[in-house]
Amino acid sequence: MGTSDWAEARSLAEVWKRGGDAIAKTDSPEFPAGTKSLSLDDAWGKFLIQAKGRKLSAATLYKYELLRRRMSDFARRRRLILLSEFDLDVLEGFQAEWQDGALACSKKTELLKSFFKAAFIRRWIDDNPAIQLRGPKPRPRPTLPFNHAEMTEILAAIERYPDKTGKTGRNNAVRLRTFVLTLRYTGMRIGDVTSLDINRLAGNKIFLYTQKTGVPVYCVVPDFVAEAWEATPRLSARYLFWTGNSTLHTAVGTWQRTLGKLFKLAGVPRGYAHRFRDTFSVELLLAGVPIEQVSTLLGHNDIKVTQQHYSPWVRDRQRQLEADLQRAWHRDPVVLLQEENRRKRTALHPPLPN
């Protein structure tokens, strides 16, 4: 109904029932249609309350909050107060100040468009200026899985990681190894591993998510990974890798810095957490797992997303399949007989020279 206020919704429902008009507006000055003087800060406040009510992830809420702060700072410098003062020109001016890379700017543009779409639907503004807003087109991020040698070096470097003296240091080393193994053999994003609830672990399986059809998706891991989960000292009663006292964003940042030091110690260039997810996906594809199943494990809503990132490795899988077929034919007695006959015919009737 375009509002999160129960009283406003009831008032609007009465108007609809009386007039049969599904787009009717109340005359109350509190109804969103009359809030042409709604300030930017008030609009963001309402939007964030609704976002929390929709149970958006902590990472998404953090990104919206960061965008709100930057937009408020921009408005103060431009002496803008009302949400309605933000037309397309103003939004493009705000966008031009961003110093992020193309991919980050593209994602931030989508967040900004979501905010204005919600404002328009709730009639906080008469039109949506962000519809025409265009962000940069980022180049596709190359898929960079770790090779087997790099994975070996990363795991070996854990034993040389600084601050391994005393009980705390040894626990941190165990925890770091388990964190790396979880990233590698589940394909989960670093935020999901950081906030991993121990209730999602069941033997050698980990619960990933529930599909829209209500079917749960589990990932089976090697036994030594499950044993690592059991042996890892927990940081809290609920989480394996997070105390739960800080924000998730802060905890993820700490793990990212830890992994950065680990990659440097291992001598692995361009190391970052998402490469473990790429490694998980590529190894499955090369092992012959259908890309549809890989897409399900990754939690992609559309298989096209999986194909976009991993199509080169699907081609490699096809070449591997062709090589396997060639090896299989060389063991087939029918094929061997036909090849022998072909060689005899060629020997009796060699091709004429050009």
Side-chain angles (χ1 to χ4, degrees):
M1 300 184 75
T3 178
S4 62
D5 187 278
W6 178 249
E8 292 174 355
R10 292 187 62 182
S11 177
L12 179 58
E14 289 299 322
V15 174
W16 286 358
K17 286 190 289 185
R18 289 196 302 269
D21 184 357
I23 60 172
K25 305 174 184 178
T26 63
D27 295 329
S28 170
E30 296 182 355
F31 189 70
T35 55
K36 294 186 182 300
S37 60
L38 187 68
S39 70
L40 175 67
D41 290 340
D42 287 343
W44 268 112
K46 290 175 177 288
F47 178 82
L48 291 174
I49 289 174
Q50 292 159 354
K52 293 175 182 177
R54 290 161 52 201
K55 306 299 181 184
L56 298 182
S57 68
T60 301
L61 291 174
Y62 174 82
K63 293 174 184 177
Y64 274 125
E65 178 59 35
L66 183 61
L67 180 62
R68 180 198 66 79
R69 292 201 300 266
R70 292 185 176 180
M71 196 171 179
S72 296
D73 177 68
F74 174 83
R76 281 192 296 271
R77 288 186 281 108
R78 294 291 186 96
R79 297 184 179 182
L80 303 173
I81 298 176
L82 305 180
L83 180 63
S84 58
E85 294 180 274
F86 281 80
D87 56 20
L88 181 58
D89 291 336
V90 174
L91 288 180
E92 288 177 341
F94 175 51
Q95 189 183 49
E97 292 188 353
W98 300 347
Q99 300 298 317
D100 311 271
L103 180 59
C105 285
S106 176
K107 292 183 177 181
K108 192 179 297 182
T109 299
E110 293 305 313
L111 294 175
L112 186 62
K113 295 174 78 169
S114 296
F115 168 68
F116 273 92
K117 179 180 178 181
F120 176 67
I121 291 175
R122 290 167 175 81
R123 302 186 181 95
W124 300 341
I125 48 179
D126 291 332
D127 56 26
N128 182 1
I131 290 180
Q132 302 299 325
L133 193 64
R134 295 290 181 267
K137 187 175 181 180
R139 295 180 180 179
R141 181 185 61 83
T143 302
L144 293 174
F146 293 118
N147 58 42
H148 294 167
E150 288 174 327
M151 279 301 308
T152 301
E153 289 298 325
I154 290 170
L155 292 174
I158 294 175
E159 302 303 322
R160 309 191 305 273
Y161 194 83
D163 190 24
K164 292 295 173 288
T165 58
K167 182 178 179 180
T168 301
R170 289 192 296 272
N171 287 345
N172 288 339
V174 172
R175 195 174 292 113
L176 176 57
R177 179 176 181 272
T178 305
F179 191 85
V180 168
L181 293 177
T182 304
L183 285 170
R184 163 62 184 88
Y185 289 101
T186 67
M188 296 169 63
R189 297 178 176 88
I190 186 172
D192 295 329
V193 174
T194 301
S195 60
L196 179 61
D197 193 314
I198 59 175
N199 292 323
R200 295 170 62 183
L201 305 178
N204 67 338
K205 295 194 300 183
I206 180 172
F207 171 74
L208 298 179
Y209 64 98
T210 301
Q211 292 179 305
K212 292 182 178 180
T213 56
V215 178
V217 176
Y218 289 88
C219 178
V220 177
V221 301
D223 289 338
F224 72 91
V225 178
E227 293 170 359
W229 290 339
E230 289 292 330
T232 299
R234 298 171 182 174
L235 285 176
S236 69
R238 179 179 178 182
Y239 302 107
L240 195 59
F241 304 112
W242 180 31
T243 63
N245 296 327
S246 65
T247 64
L248 178 58
H249 178 79
T250 299
V252 170
T254 300
W255 276 112
Q256 286 175 328
R257 289 189 293 274
T258 299
L259 290 175
K261 294 178 182 177
L262 179 63
F263 294 138
K264 185 176 181 180
L265 188 63
V268 175
R270 301 182 66 182
Y272 47 88
H274 201 87
R275 289 187 65 182
F276 289 112
R277 184 170 168 89
D278 288 342
T279 306
F280 171 81
S281 307
V282 168
E283 290 294 338
L284 290 179
L285 290 170
L286 293 180
V289 178
I291 194 170
E292 294 81 6
Q293 295 182 19
V294 175
S295 181
T296 298
L297 288 171
L298 294 177
H300 291 163
N301 293 326
D302 191 338
I303 193 175
K304 292 181 180 179
V305 176
T306 316
Q307 292 170 336
Q308 176 184 355
H309 290 292
Y310 300 109
S311 57
W313 302 98
V314 175
R315 288 195 294 271
D316 278 359
R317 184 161 59 93
Q318 177 61 34
R319 286 195 290 268
Q320 177 180 313
L321 177 60
E322 293 170 2
D324 291 339
L325 287 172
Q326 292 283 357
R327 286 194 297 271
W329 292 341
H330 289 308
R331 300 177 56 188
D332 188 318
V334 175
V335 174
L336 294 175
L337 178 61
Q338 294 299 320
E339 286 293 322
E340 180 64 23
N341 291 336
R342 185 180 63 82
R343 283 194 294 270
K344 290 179 180 179
R345 289 195 302 270
T346 302
L348 292 174
H349 305 285
L352 297 175
N354 293 330

